Amino acid sequence: MLLFFTLGLLIHFVFFASIFDIYFTSPLVHGMTPQFTPLPPPARRLVLFVADGLRADTLYELDENGTSRAPFIRNIIMHEGSWGISHTRVPTESRPGHVALIAGFYEDVSAVAKGWKENPVEFDSLFNESKYTWSWGSPDILPMFAKGASGDHVYTYSYDAKREDFGAQDATKLDTWVFDNVKDFFHHARNNQSLFSKINEEKIVFFLHLLGIDTNGHAHRPSSRDYKDNIKKVDDGVKEIVSMFNHFYGNDGKTTFIFTSDHGMTDWGSHGAGHPSETLTPLVTWGAGINYPQRVSAQQFDDSFLKEWRLENWKRLDVNQVSISILLHSNLILSSIRRLGILPVDYLNNTDLFKAESMFTNAVQILEQFKVKMTQKKEVTLPFLFTPFKLLSDSKQFNILRKARSYIKHRKFDEVVSLCKELIHLALKGLSYYHTYDRFFLGINVVIGFVGWISYASLLIMKSHSNLIKAVSKEVKKPSHLLPCSFVAIGILVAFFLLIQACPWTYYVYGLLPVPIWYAVLRECQVIQDLVTSLLTYPLSHFVGYLLVFTLGIEVLVLSFFYRYMLTAGLTAFAVWPFLTRLWTRAKVTSLSWAFFSVLLAVFPLMPVVGRKPDISLVMGAGLLVLLLSLCVVTSLMKRKDSFRKEELLVHLLQVLSTVLSMYVVYSTQSSLLRKQGLPLMNQIISWATLASSLVVPLLSSPAVFQRLFSILLSLMSTYLLLSTGYEAVFPLVLSCLMFVWINIEQETLQQSGVCCKQKLTSIQFSYNTDITQFRQLYLDDIRRAFFLVFFLVTAFFGTGNIASINSFDLASVYCFLTVFSPFMMGALMMWKILIPFVLVMCAFEAPFFFLQHFFFLVKDYGSWLDIGTSISHYVIVMSMTIFLVFLNGLAQLLTTKKLRLCGKPKSHFM
């Protein structure tokens, strides 16, 4: 059985990792020839301003007085340059946004494993291809573009990471630091001949990363005065820098200015997902090679922004964020290798020939990527299995290029632009086609493996723990060699097929793993025959009824990943369940309690996602409810002198004190941050101490079921209060109450079926029992219990927000622990907040486990194969939940069964 357990864990890890080969492979293509536009560049230098976290609407709209928050930028729009909206792509994070802007491709998803800081793969960028680049800004952004640069020509100037504090100071100082250091740099250059000569070269870039707006948005929300005032500070700073550049270079007209943002921000101060407030960012350009404002009488867009911003008479030019990199390269005539954007020719103020040649270069470099990708795939695929991208054959490529050159020769420049755009769209489709060429093959292997594993696990369970299977004859049959020989042959054929195609070693794992799994399944042919026979003898009406209920339950679970209100529907159905059984007649109070807390818990999925409407008073209210509950429980336990000792009373009083301290820390931290005085050191120490002790203190309490579960609740609630910003603070309390009732109601069902006699929860101890031979047979009621467990786990995940969406996380949740930006630490704290309700459910499940001694693997394989065709984020959640159940089960057993003593000899609780 241990072997089966280990094998199951390994298989889940393998198929969890498979998504990184199927979906998360690097998008970069290597081996292309650099492409240049054969004409002189319009600009000698480029100045790129990136206002991190700036929303398009907040910049462009007028304030309540009818004036612009950024008068200089608005003046540029009306009198000097071109403007529009840059459409970003998820994930709307700083690193992916900057990679799209500066490197011209969509970020490799594997960079998330490095906190969006390091380069998982080599790539070239605007900075690397420039002659010199000077950059100022955040230490989280600048190093990633300097690290991979060839030679010593990319210079970075960053402030200390501790300055990125969401609560200690006015975040506009981050932007002021950048502007001041740029001014000092040019002042120093006048007295340094070497530096002076460098900054007067051509093909040079100046990059100003402005983090203050993003920091203020996280700390105070985009609707706050801090966020909007920061925009005014940035506008003033940009005006000064532009004036300085023009003066320094003698108004030579050879500087291109770009002002944009890496991503926007939601109303509740987060980003990462695809809400328009996150994906719509401003783009304003002016200077060398950029079109002047174009007055128009009418414009057609699907939104009403132009009227709201009062810019309906100035032509708006929207682009995809990844296309901005092409615009930057075009103005400096830098080499172009891996850009995936389309040159926005409407932004260019140049000859039609220049636009046509630039567009042609853009199309050829993307076509080169397509051809290299096709060649790479063709070389490792058997000729009779290779299926080329039919929309862009070799002959079609040649015809389009030949026709484009002919149009340029005959000065039909508009036709060149249209033809090149057509070629780019086809080449991008072809790139996607070859990038996902193996996806179907790998996906089929994963599905076959999962179906096989689920089949084998189900057969083993029914064979060992079910009365559906007939007793197997004790006569030893001579084993047939046909089955093993057939599977060995299949394995050799699969391995040979992968070998001749030079597949990565991971492909061998996905291709060969289903072979032994299905061999194990078919070895149980006798069990399969007995199962079919048993099902045929089962009443058809009962079978269909159970199947419909089971299918409906699974559908509710799957739909809850997309629609949180489905959890409400499921919990409402749970509330009705006792009244449809004999439980209502045997335990009216328990049934009513079950219905009450089920309905109460069903309210949470209908509420806004956590973080959108913070309210510290709700956190304080949750803390008061915990204290009130603690008072009632401790008073009740003290009356039972035979089962409650002074040592345990001390433990509960310490936990009550911890709850009071958590409430104090939440309130005082909030007050301190509002005064911009930062996180008090004492609050930080108390928060970390509370977190560290939350998994230890429960081990000092009595191992009796009720006392231990209550102690776990108190400890975890102290931490959860510190991580809460609003109504979610009440969620684990309501969930735990429902779990307590669940334990009682399961005890009633077991007593009703004659499995056990009724005992008080204060007189039953948790015991760690792993003797598999003592496990009883499974019945249909155990399937219902397993479904309840899975449903409660899903509710714990999605009850207060969608973990699949990055922007569900509110950084304010961790401000009691730290306010200085630290992606891994903040991410770990927010994940622990998500897992606390998970742990509460698992700990409660240990109590039914004590009563039932049922087989835990019954719920191990839920969901994974059902969700293979759904979004990858949901697949990751289901797979993570399946794997993590093992570790959480171990943690729950540790919290419920182990006992630590402060002093003295152990005493028996039952005398």
Side-chain angles (χ1 to χ4, degrees):
M1 195 57 66
L2 180 61
L3 177 62
F4 176 77
F5 176 88
T6 307
L7 180 62
L9 193 60
L10 177 63
I11 289 173
H12 278 92
F13 270 118
V14 168
F15 288 130
F16 174 80
S18 69
I19 62 170
F20 294 99
D21 277 317
I22 299 175
Y23 296 97
F24 292 165
T25 52
S26 173
L28 295 184
V29 183
H30 299 273
M32 290 80 65
T33 303
Q35 303 294 321
F36 296 89
T37 301
L39 292 172
R44 291 176 59 86
R45 68 199 70 89
L46 171 73
V47 182
L48 175 62
F49 301 95
V50 177
D52 203 307
L54 176 60
R55 293 165 47 149
D57 58 347
T58 313
L59 176 73
Y60 291 140
E61 70 186 5
L62 303 179
D63 62 18
E64 55 274 9
N65 298 319
T67 59
S68 173
R69 298 188 184 94
F72 176 74
I73 295 296
R74 194 171 182 91
N75 180 70
I76 293 293
I77 293 172
M78 294 181 172
H79 300 99
E80 294 188 40
S82 297
W83 76 285
I85 291 177
S86 168
H87 296 263
T88 69
R89 200 170 88 165
V90 292
T92 46
E93 297 289 345
S94 290
R95 178 191 164 104
H98 281 89
V99 168
L101 284 169
I102 298 169
F105 70 94
Y106 295 116
E107 174 65 297
D108 186 348
V109 189
S110 60
V112 71
K114 299 187 177 184
W116 301 119
K117 287 187 175 183
E118 297 294 330
N119 300 336
V121 291
E122 296 269 337
F123 65 84
D124 63 319
S125 70
L126 172 74
F127 299 167
N128 192 35
E129 294 159 14
S130 67
K131 189 159 188 178
Y132 295 106
T133 291
W134 289 271
S135 56
W136 296 264
S138 168
D140 297 321
I141 298 299
L142 303 189
M144 70 182 179
F145 293 104
K147 186 174 181 179
S150 58
D152 185 21
H153 69 281
V154 179
Y155 306 97
T156 62
Y157 304 91
S158 302
Y159 39 75
D160 188 82
K162 292 182 180 179
R163 284 177 173 262
E164 298 179 14
D165 193 326
F166 294 109
Q169 59 179 347
D170 183 5
T172 57
K173 293 181 179 179
L174 299 176
D175 300 335
T176 303
W177 184 96
V178 171
F179 293 133
D180 290 344
N181 276 265
V182 174
K183 296 174 188 174
D184 293 342
F185 171 82
F186 274 88
H187 178 74
H188 176 66
R190 293 183 181 276
N191 304 312
N192 186 318
Q193 186 59 42
S194 174
L195 179 59
F196 185 83
S197 63
K198 286 183 178 179
I199 63 176
N200 277 282
E201 296 275 3
E202 62 179 15
K203 299 184 179 181
I204 60 174
V205 177
F206 300 94
F207 171 46
L208 284 70
H209 176 246
L210 309 169
L211 187 63
I213 293 175
D214 183 75
T215 305
N216 270 318
H218 285 305
H220 307 290
R221 306 293 188 265
S223 60
S224 66
R225 176 55 54 192
D226 302 84
Y227 185 88
K228 294 174 181 177
D229 287 347
N230 202 153
I231 294 175
K232 179 66 171 66
K233 285 287 183 77
V234 166
D235 183 71
D236 292 339
V238 170
K239 180 180 179 180
E240 293 177 7
I241 295 299
V242 170
S243 176
M244 182 199 68
F245 265 89
N246 291 334
H247 181 262
F248 186 90
Y249 289 106
N251 292 302
D252 63 355
K254 291 293 182 179
T255 307
T256 300
F257 297 95
I258 308 282
F259 181 87
T260 186
S261 176
D262 54 348
H263 57 75
M265 186 170 289
T266 62
D267 292 339
W268 49 97
S270 61
H271 53 82
H275 191 275
S277 60
E278 299 166 90
T279 60
L280 302 183
T281 59
L283 173 61
V284 182
T285 68
W286 67 100
I290 300 297
N291 249 337
Y292 289 103
Q294 302 175 57
R295 295 295 296 263
V296 292
S297 57
Q299 302 183 68
Q300 296 296 324
F301 285 95
D302 294 333
D303 53 60
S304 58
F305 292 144
L306 288 170
K307 186 175 181 180
E308 294 173 7
W309 301 337
R310 300 181 188 176
L311 291 171
E312 52 265 60
N313 295 325
W314 282 267
K315 188 173 182 179
R316 168 181 151 188
L317 304 170
D318 287 10
V319 299
N320 290 324
Q321 187 180 56
V322 76
S323 296
I324 296 176
S325 176
I326 301 293
L327 177 63
L328 305 181
H329 279 75
S330 173
N331 267 17
L332 292 179
I333 308 296
L334 299 177
S335 64
S336 190
I337 300 178
R338 298 188 186 93
R339 309 292 166 258
L340 294 178
I342 302 175
L343 177 65
V345 290
D346 290 337
Y347 274 89
L348 299 181
N349 179 21
N350 214 311
T351 64
D352 290 339
L353 174 62
F354 181 89
K355 294 178 183 179
E357 286 286 2
S358 298
M359 199 71 201
F360 184 80
T361 301
N362 185 193
V364 169
Q365 67 93 11
I366 293 179
L367 181 62
E368 278 290 309
Q369 295 182 67
F370 166 79
K371 292 164 70 174
V372 170
K373 193 74 172 179
M374 180 183 68
T375 302
Q376 291 174 349
K377 186 53 60 180
K378 192 173 183 179
E379 288 175 350
V380 296
T381 306
L382 294 173
F384 65 90
L385 292 178
F386 180 72
T387 306
F389 182 64
K390 296 178 181 179
L391 296 180
L392 193 57
S393 61
D394 292 343
S395 60
K396 187 165 186 177
Q397 297 173 35
F398 177 78
N399 289 335
I400 292 177
L401 293 176
R402 179 180 55 80
K403 190 179 293 185
R405 269 298 164 204
S406 175
Y407 284 155
I408 292 175
K409 184 177 180 180
H410 292 88
R411 307 187 66 81
K412 297 180 179 180
F413 301 123
D414 290 340
E415 288 84 349
V416 174
V417 172
S418 299
L419 198 60
C420 289
K421 285 183 177 180
E422 178 190 349
L423 179 59
I424 289 173
H425 285 300
L426 289 174
L428 289 175
K429 286 183 179 180
L431 272 172
S432 177
Y433 172 79
Y434 287 117
H435 184 65
T436 60
Y437 191 84
D438 294 332
R439 185 171 293 180
F440 179 76
F441 168 74
L442 295 175
I444 287 295
N445 279 280
V446 169
V447 172
I448 293 173
F450 253 126
V451 172
W453 172 246
I454 293 173
S455 301
Y456 178 66
S458 301
L459 289 173
L460 190 61
I461 290 172
M462 286 184 284
K463 179 180 178 180
S464 306
H465 303 281
S466 173
N467 57 6
L468 293 175
I469 307 302
K470 297 178 181 178
V472 180
S473 174
K474 295 183 179 180
E475 297 182 8
V476 180
K477 296 181 179 180
K478 186 177 181 180
S480 171
H481 296 292
L482 178 61
L483 186 64
C485 289
S486 299
F487 276 90
V488 169
I490 292 172
I492 293 173
L493 287 174
V494 171
F496 182 72
F497 173 77
L498 297 172
L499 180 64
I500 60 178
Q501 296 198 107
C503 293
W505 66 270
T506 51
Y507 283 36
Y508 289 83
V509 176
Y510 311 137
L512 292 174
L513 190 57
V515 176
I517 291 177
W518 277 101
Y519 170 68
V521 171
L522 295 182
R523 280 188 61 190
E524 304 294 339
C525 59
Q526 183 62 51
V527 179
I528 297 173
Q529 292 175 8
D530 289 345
L531 175 62
V532 172
T533 302
S534 298
L535 292 177
L536 291 175
T537 60
Y538 204 72
L540 181 61
S541 59
H542 290 188
F543 178 78
V544 172
Y546 284 124
L547 183 62
L548 287 175
V549 171
F550 177 78
T551 304
L552 179 62
I554 293 297
E555 283 301 314
V556 169
L557 284 172
V558 173
L559 290 174
S560 66
F561 279 65
F562 304 92
Y563 311 104
R564 290 172 58 215
Y565 60 79
M566 293 305 298
L567 294 174
T568 299
L571 289 167
T572 304
F574 282 10
V576 178
W577 166 65
F579 304 101
L580 304 178
T581 66
R582 287 182 291 173
L583 283 170
W584 169 242
T585 58
R586 295 177 58 89
K588 287 184 171 57
V589 175
T590 303
S591 298
L592 289 172
S593 300
W594 169 268
F596 173 75
F597 286 113
S598 294
V599 171
L600 190 59
L601 191 66
V603 173
F604 287 92
L606 298 177
M607 301 180 76
V609 172
V610 168
R612 300 191 179 186
K613 296 181 179 179
D615 189 345
I616 297 301
S617 62
L618 293 176
V619 181
M620 296 294 102
L624 291 175
L625 287 176
V626 173
L627 293 178
L628 181 61
L629 180 63
S630 302
L631 179 63
C632 295
V633 171
V634 171
T635 302
S636 175
L637 291 175
M638 287 181 65
K639 294 178 180 179
R640 303 175 181 178
K641 298 180 180 180
D642 59 330
S643 61
F644 198 67
R645 302 183 304 125
K646 291 183 179 179
E647 177 187 327
E648 292 155 10
L649 176 61
L650 177 61
V651 170
H652 284 304
L653 291 177
L654 285 174
Q655 291 177 313
V656 171
L657 176 61
S658 177
T659 303
V660 174
L661 285 175
S662 294
M663 295 170 63
Y664 165 76
V665 167
V666 169
Y667 180 79
S668 61
T669 299
Q670 174 75 2
S671 301
S672 179
L673 294 180
L674 287 175
R675 296 192 301 269
K676 295 185 179 180
Q677 296 178 354
L679 172 62
L681 178 61
M682 183 56 64
N683 288 15
Q684 191 172 23
I685 293 173
I686 293 173
S687 297
W688 284 106
T690 301
L691 175 63
S693 64
S694 62
L695 296 179
V696 178
V697 175
L699 304 181
L700 300 171
S701 65
S702 168
V705 169
F706 183 80
Q707 287 95 313
R708 177 58 63 90
L709 289 178
F710 180 68
S711 180
I712 292 170
L713 171 63
L714 287 183
S715 284
L716 294 182
M717 273 301 298
S718 297
T719 303
Y720 202 85
L721 289 173
L722 295 170
L723 292 168
S724 297
T725 61
Y727 75 87
E728 81 273 17
V730 187
F731 178 73
L733 185 60
V734 177
L735 180 64
S736 295
C737 290
L738 183 59
M739 293 301 98
F740 277 110
V741 180
W742 185 32
I743 294 171
N744 283 277
I745 212 165
E746 291 296 352
Q747 191 183 22
E748 289 288 346
T749 60
L750 288 168
Q751 182 188 7
Q752 181 178 306
S753 60
V755 175
C756 71
C757 58
K758 187 171 182 179
Q759 294 176 278
K760 293 183 179 180
L761 295 183
T762 53
S763 63
I764 305 174
Q765 284 188 308
F766 283 105
S767 66
Y768 190 79
N769 189 348
T770 57
D771 187 0
I772 304 295
T773 61
Q774 295 183 8
F775 286 7
R776 64 167 176 82
Q777 286 188 337
L778 295 176
Y779 300 97
L780 286 175
D781 216 26
D782 293 311
I783 298 177
R784 192 262 310 157
R785 293 186 183 99
F787 178 80
F788 274 19
L789 172 65
V790 174
F791 192 92
F792 287 138
L793 291 174
V794 173
T795 303
F797 259 67
F798 295 98
T800 58
N802 190 344
I803 192 175
S805 175
I806 298 173
N807 77 336
S808 295
F809 298 127
D810 181 16
L811 290 179
S813 297
V814 303
Y815 286 172
C816 290
F817 294 87
L818 74 165
T819 54
V820 177
F821 182 66
S822 175
F824 282 117
M825 187 63 69
M826 288 178 166
L829 287 169
M830 289 188 287
M831 284 305 299
W832 179 237
K833 177 183 178 181
I834 289 291
L835 290 175
I836 283 176
F838 215 146
V839 174
L840 291 173
V841 174
M842 290 302 299
C843 289
F845 186 62
E846 285 298 303
F849 187 90
F850 172 82
F851 297 131
L852 304 180
Q853 295 290 291
H854 68 264
F855 194 49
F856 185 72
F857 284 106
L858 183 64
V859 296
K860 291 298 299 162
D861 292 303
Y862 153 75
S864 301
W865 66 274
L866 290 174
D867 290 319
I868 282 198
T870 63
S871 71
I872 299 309
S873 60
H874 291 156
Y875 175 81
V876 171
I877 291 170
V878 175
M879 285 300 301
S880 301
M881 186 170 67
T882 306
I883 296 171
F884 215 69
L885 270 177
V886 179
F887 300 103
L888 284 181
N889 184 51
L891 176 61
Q893 287 186 341
L894 174 67
L895 288 173
T896 55
T897 61
K898 298 300 179 182
K899 175 76 166 105
L900 297 180
R901 293 195 177 277
L902 295 174
C903 60
K905 298 181 180 180
K907 298 180 181 179
S908 173
H909 291 271
F910 307 101
M911 297 297 294

